[in-house]
Amino acid sequence: MTATYTWDVFSTLDGYGSFDEGADWGGYWSKQGPELLAHRAALFDTEQRTVFGATTFREMAEIMSSGIDPNALDEWNLRTIRSPATVISSTLTDTLGWPDATIVSGDAVEIVKRLKEESDVPLRGQASLSLNWALMAAGLVDRVQVTIFPVVSGRTGTSPIFGGAGDFDLELLESRTLDGHTLEVVYRPTAH
């Protein structure tokens, strides 16, 4: 059986995945609420393997190992770090303190193809834009889950989430509004 691969990414309404250093948006663009945080925790309540590219993994590991009191982290972040992770990188040799991470070097498409064939749990790619653009182009992304925060960051936005992706048709699988203002959409991509 082939494992399902979901690309999970956060975005502003205008399609940015991050913002310039010094921009005063805060985490989640300061739009998180209890419903969003509970929903995110529930998504990570089931067994799954997280797949990271090197840059996103470094950023996540830095946050998780920065000495922050674990009680200050959102529950879904704690569940993420407790989950097994595969990091696709030709530069990393250390798991940076991540408890159950494996670093794999090589062609990302071949690595994820093998993971999908061998895994008995779903796979979830976190952010990792260029990695997931390549996986979409190879037809390996089964679901694109975008959480859209109600902000426009045209002046300070960075990392356009689909800036390097190919052209795809998207079939809407589900959508929900969280905390009355944040939208989560889940699509099935097909090459255009």
Side-chain angles (χ1 to χ4, degrees):
M1 179 174 205
T2 300
T4 301
Y5 185 98
T6 300
W7 176 22
D8 182 358
V9 64
F10 288 176
S11 177
T12 60
L13 180 62
D14 52 342
Y16 292 105
S18 192
F19 47 85
D20 282 328
E21 196 168 315
D24 193 17
W25 285 107
Y28 309 100
W29 291 274
S30 299
K31 299 296 181 182
Q32 75 275 22
E35 192 176 5
L36 170 77
L37 297 177
H39 175 67
R40 294 297 299 177
L43 287 173
F44 288 85
D45 199 22
T46 58
E47 193 176 350
Q48 59 192 299
R49 173 171 291 280
T50 306
V51 178
F52 290 105
T55 301
T56 299
F57 181 73
R58 280 186 194 100
E59 291 168 356
M60 292 288 290
E62 182 179 320
I63 291 168
M64 302 299 185
S65 65
S66 67
I68 294 174
D69 176 2
N71 296 318
L73 293 172
D74 298 323
E75 183 61 29
W76 77 271
N77 284 316
L78 294 173
R79 292 177 184 182
T80 299
I81 198 169
R82 291 181 198 133
S83 297
T86 297
V87 183
I88 302 171
S89 174
S90 60
T91 58
L92 282 173
T93 57
D94 185 301
T95 61
L96 307 174
W98 201 276
D100 191 7
T102 304
I103 298 172
V104 182
S105 182
D107 179 78
V109 168
E110 291 304 315
I111 292 167
V112 172
K113 189 181 293 186
R114 188 178 69 249
L115 280 173
K116 286 184 66 145
E117 291 168 359
E118 296 173 357
S119 181
D120 54 0
V121 297
L123 306 171
R124 180 174 293 272
Q126 291 278 99
S128 300
L129 302 180
S130 58
L131 168 65
N132 284 291
W133 299 333
L135 298 178
M136 279 183 67
L140 295 174
V141 175
D142 301 297
R143 298 163 50 102
V144 177
Q145 178 178 327
V146 183
T147 304
I148 304 168
F149 292 88
V151 299
V152 173
S153 60
R155 195 178 73 242
T156 60
T158 63
S159 306
I161 65 168
F162 295 112
D167 293 346
F168 292 89
D169 284 326
L170 300 172
E171 175 190 346
L172 182 64
L173 300 176
E174 45 186 282
S175 66
R176 64 177 47 92
T177 303
L178 301 159
D179 300 307
H181 55 76
T182 299
L183 181 64
E184 179 189 84
V185 290
V186 180
Y187 293 103
R188 176 180 296 121
T190 55
H192 178 71

